[in-house]
Amino acid sequence: MHFTGTVYRNPYWPTWPLLEITQGCTHNRCKFCTMYKGVPFRMSPLEWIEEDIKEIAQRDPEARTIQLLSANPLVLVYDKLAPILEMIRRYLPKMEYIYVAGRVTDVKNKSVTELTKLKELGMREISLGVESGDDWTLSRINKGYHSGDILEQCHKLEEAGIEYWMTFLNGVAGRAHSRDHAINSANIFSQCQPKVVGTGGLTLFPGTPLLDEAQRGEFDPLSEKEMLLELKIFVENLQCDCSFITHHTVAANLTGPNFLRRKDKITAALDYAIQHGDMDRMAALRRNKQTL
């Protein structure tokens, strides 16, 4: 298999097989991320991709799912992505679900008709690293799009019948804009129809511009308790009939389906963690994180 670097994949999707069709991130300028720092974006040669698909077919000819890597392979235009999906279906005829990660802007270069065709070829589920629905925050962390773009592109996915995930990055707005980040994100997410809303707490990794700004006093990060308070505000304002997943360091298990039915329990668990949680332990867990 042609894996050219560290493999990052969605742990909630099937973990094998994995197929690398791109390397690096086309944007690579988000202030909280070093995941693909120094890795130039490029598409894998079609010969590599075909060789890898053949290898997968030899090892598991019955494969029904596959996760495409790396960073944002969804950025490939229809005329480049469709032939790869067709190749997957040719060598793996029982393929049902092709999972792809991407940025909100990656949907923009495809029409609803093209997205519908990609779904018919097996692209059933997409993970979007949205991070925030607040325009000030999106600009502050240099995401490269705004809330209107989120709504427009997610509605295109809905029209094409493609399921998608949305992520909320808890703490990324800093202290002064925490409440706006939580409320405006929840409001934007609630105007969409995500299959899953996932949340994680900001960790300031070495080499990130946001850590540099924090050290210069230009970014004021939230404490562990403030992170939980922000997450609670987000949950209280979220109105999506979705599954909810969190990677927060809080000990309470908040992950599960049927968010709206569980919303009161999630809020109560956050309340308990805010009042009784071991903030030193949470901070230690965050310090020990190695990557997003």
Side-chain angles (χ1 to χ4, degrees), residues 231-238 244 259 263 266-267 270:
L231 182 58
K232 181 188 172 188
I233 293 170
F234 174 74
V235 167
E236 287 174 335
N237 286 274
L238 186 64
F244 183 77
F259 168 74
K263 184 172 177 177
I266 294 172
T267 304
L270 288 170

Side-chain angles (χ1 to χ4, degrees), residues 135-175:
D135 284 337
W136 184 93
T137 303
L138 289 166
S139 295
R140 177 70 175 79
I141 62 177
N142 199 22
K143 281 301 294 185
Y145 52 79
H146 292 95
S147 59
D149 302 308
I150 297 170
L151 293 175
E152 180 179 358
Q153 302 311 319
C154 286
H155 292 337
K156 282 171 62 178
L157 294 176
E158 292 159 13
E159 189 174 347
I162 296 174
E163 295 182 322
Y164 61 94
W165 298 41
M166 300 175 78
T167 58
F168 171 72
L169 187 49
N170 187 195
V172 78
R175 184 167 284 122

Side-chain angles (χ1 to χ4, degrees), residues 85-96:
L85 303 191
E86 290 168 348
M87 193 184 298
I88 292 171
R89 296 291 291 272
R90 184 163 69 250
Y91 289 105
L92 296 162
K94 294 189 177 181
M95 182 59 57
E96 295 175 356

Side-chain angles (χ1 to χ4, degrees), residues 1 16 25-26 41 49 72 83 98 115 141 155 157 166 195 229-230 240 262 287:
M1 300 295 292
W16 197 89
C25 172
T26 53
F41 179 85
I49 295 172
N72 60 324
I98 299 174
L115 289 168
I141 62 177
H155 292 337
L157 294 176
M166 300 175 78
K195 177 181 180 179
L229 287 166
E230 179 183 279
C240 292
R262 296 190 308 113
R287 287 194 299 271

